[in-house]
Amino acid sequence: MSFEFIRKLPSPTEIKAEFPVPEKTAALKAERDKEIADVITGKSDKFLAIIGPCSADNEDAVLDYTLRLKKVQEKIKDKVIIIPRVYTNKPRTTGTGYKGMLHQPDPEKKPDLLAGLVAIRKMHIRVMEETELMPADEMLYPENYWFLADVLSYVAVGARSVEDQQHRLTVSGMDVPAGMKNPTSGDFSVMLNSVVAAQAKQTFIYRNWEVATPGNLLAHTIAVNKHGQNIPNYHYEDLMRLVNMYNARDLMNPACVVDANHSNSGKIYQEQIRITKEILHSMKHSSDVKKLIKGVMIESYIEPGCQKVGDGVYGKSITDPCLGWDESEKLLYEIAELV
């Protein structure tokens, strides 16, 4: 086999021991986790705003951005829970290009997975300590989840991964909400099948162990596209279709977070503002939609748009284009008014 084994990486236990979550921060996270879980289960009527860069590519810029979120959170905490997107793994359709900070702590240098593991854990902990906001990340590699299991309050499983059995089974052992996107085919039934699997008890092989999981009743859907094309699925009719499909299933805690970017916006990042407002309007129009929709996912950074690796604009996405800070801040306040 043409594998070059470069070096054996430390175990998650070793990495966690070297870079532990401070006790005070862990206690805050436990409180935050309960608040977020209460939204998913319907015990709380607050709205989730999962917002941040397409990819967290620079620690200083990410901290700058999330500290701004902290100030907004204090003003809207009675209605909205902000979960910062600190996405350190970037799926690539063709397998090429920048794959996130895990692979390249410095996007302009060659991959270094050991340095990446350390960098992403340190960045997540720094966000938690300095902002008291608890982050979200995408689970691109199920076996790597254990490196971050104690720092994440929300996990997303992407459209390319949601049909994979190992992703589904790993989610079944999580203690925090996990959003399952509809697949690249756009099929809602596949997305719901993934939630069924994630909510069920499972036994499987994980990191060379036979493990058993209790099922994650906080697993839910993330709506992002339709028919496998850049066709939006955030319209009222689409949300009602999802309501009806949920009702036909024996699932706990029916819940959906709508992705306002990607296929829903056709990657026209400014459309996220209009899309978010339309979702909130649909929630006011229908009690069934209001009961199902728990939040929205928004791609946002300091500077609007995107740039190429090496352009050097501070706080500007090097992957998908994002809303800039000024329009993001305004949108968060509008969400609080409309929810």
Side-chain angles (χ1 to χ4, degrees):
M1 294 177 69
S2 299
F3 280 69
E4 177 188 356
F5 288 82
I6 299 170
R7 61 187 163 195
K8 185 174 178 61
L9 297 172
S11 69
T13 300
E14 291 169 331
I15 292 285
K16 289 176 181 177
E18 187 172 358
F19 304 101
V21 177
E23 189 174 327
K24 179 182 177 183
T25 303
L28 284 172
K29 181 181 182 298
E31 294 176 11
R32 192 69 162 183
D33 288 353
K34 185 180 185 307
E35 291 178 6
I36 297 168
D38 284 349
V39 174
I40 299 296
T41 61
K43 293 179 182 177
S44 168
D45 61 1
K46 291 183 181 180
F47 194 73
L48 303 179
I50 304 165
I51 183 169
C54 174
S55 60
D57 51 25
N58 178 287
E59 181 177 320
D60 289 338
V62 168
L63 260 293
D64 182 344
Y65 175 86
T66 52
L67 283 167
R68 299 179 191 205
L69 288 180
K70 179 183 180 180
K71 294 177 182 178
V72 177
Q73 176 66 105
E74 185 59 32
K75 296 176 182 178
I76 62 175
K77 61 183 180 181
D78 292 339
K79 293 192 174 180
V80 178
I81 296 176
I82 295 176
I83 305 174
R85 283 175 54 110
V86 184
Y87 277 32
T88 57
N89 304 273
K90 179 65 183 172
R92 310 303 304 196
T93 301
T94 62
T96 60
Y98 176 67
K99 297 183 179 70
M101 190 178 282
L102 171 65
H103 284 259
Q104 290 174 270
D106 185 333
E108 297 186 56
K109 295 182 180 178
K110 66 179 182 180
D112 186 333
L113 274 294
L114 176 56
L117 284 171
V118 171
I120 65 174
R121 184 165 175 84
K122 287 173 69 177
M123 179 169 61
H124 276 293
I125 292 173
R126 192 177 168 198
V127 167
M128 297 165 73
E129 283 191 284
E130 295 188 24
T131 72
E132 298 183 352
L133 300 177
M134 303 303 153
D137 202 343
E138 178 170 348
M139 185 181 69
L140 186 55
Y141 310 107
E143 292 203 345
N144 289 350
Y145 171 69
W146 213 244
F147 288 101
L148 300 176
D150 58 338
V151 300
L152 299 180
S153 288
Y154 187 92
V155 175
V157 176
R160 301 169 186 82
S161 304
V162 75
E163 294 187 76
D164 175 64
Q165 181 147 304
Q166 192 74 355
H167 282 80
R168 294 176 173 191
L169 302 189
T170 301
V171 170
S172 74
M174 293 179 184
D175 299 320
V176 297
M180 317 293 279
K181 285 193 175 183
N182 55 294
T184 53
S185 68
D187 191 338
F188 274 7
S189 64
V190 171
M191 174 174 65
L192 286 164
N193 287 341
S194 74
V195 176
V196 172
Q199 289 193 359
K201 297 179 180 180
Q202 303 288 356
T203 304
F204 58 104
I205 297 172
Y206 187 75
R207 297 194 62 87
N208 296 321
W209 284 79
E210 179 182 353
V211 299
T213 58
N216 181 358
L217 300 184
L218 301 175
H220 58 278
T221 57
I222 299 177
V224 67
N225 81 318
K226 185 165 62 175
H227 304 321
Q229 302 171 27
N230 286 340
I231 299 176
N233 65 8
Y234 62 85
H235 295 305
Y236 174 77
E237 293 78 10
D238 298 304
L239 300 179
M240 280 303 304
R241 181 164 69 95
L242 185 56
V243 166
N244 293 330
M245 291 180 75
Y246 253 117
N247 289 341
R249 300 262 187 160
D250 184 22
L251 284 166
M252 295 294 292
N253 305 319
C256 179
V257 170
V258 181
D259 185 338
N261 207 17
H262 300 106
S263 294
N264 269 339
S265 69
K267 293 193 177 181
I268 303 172
Y269 67 91
Q270 302 96 326
E271 290 296 291
Q272 293 181 96
I273 298 169
R274 178 189 59 78
I275 290 166
T276 297
K277 291 178 181 178
E278 181 171 332
I279 293 161
L280 293 167
H281 174 75
S282 294
M283 291 172 64
K284 287 186 179 295
H285 182 71
S286 165
S287 59
D288 289 330
V289 171
K290 181 177 176 60
K291 185 177 179 181
L292 180 69
I293 303 303
K294 305 300 184 181
V296 66
M297 190 172 285
I298 299 165
E299 290 196 320
S300 156
Y301 212 174
I302 296 170
E303 298 296 331
C306 63
Q307 63 182 327
K308 293 180 181 179
V309 173
D311 284 355
V313 179
Y314 176 79
K316 191 171 187 176
S317 176
I318 60 171
T319 47
D320 288 348
C322 298
L323 288 176
W325 173 251
D326 290 343
E327 51 200 354
S328 301
E329 181 182 27
K330 181 180 178 182
L331 179 58
L332 286 168
Y333 289 131
E334 289 178 327
I335 289 172
E337 291 175 2
L338 295 170
V339 73

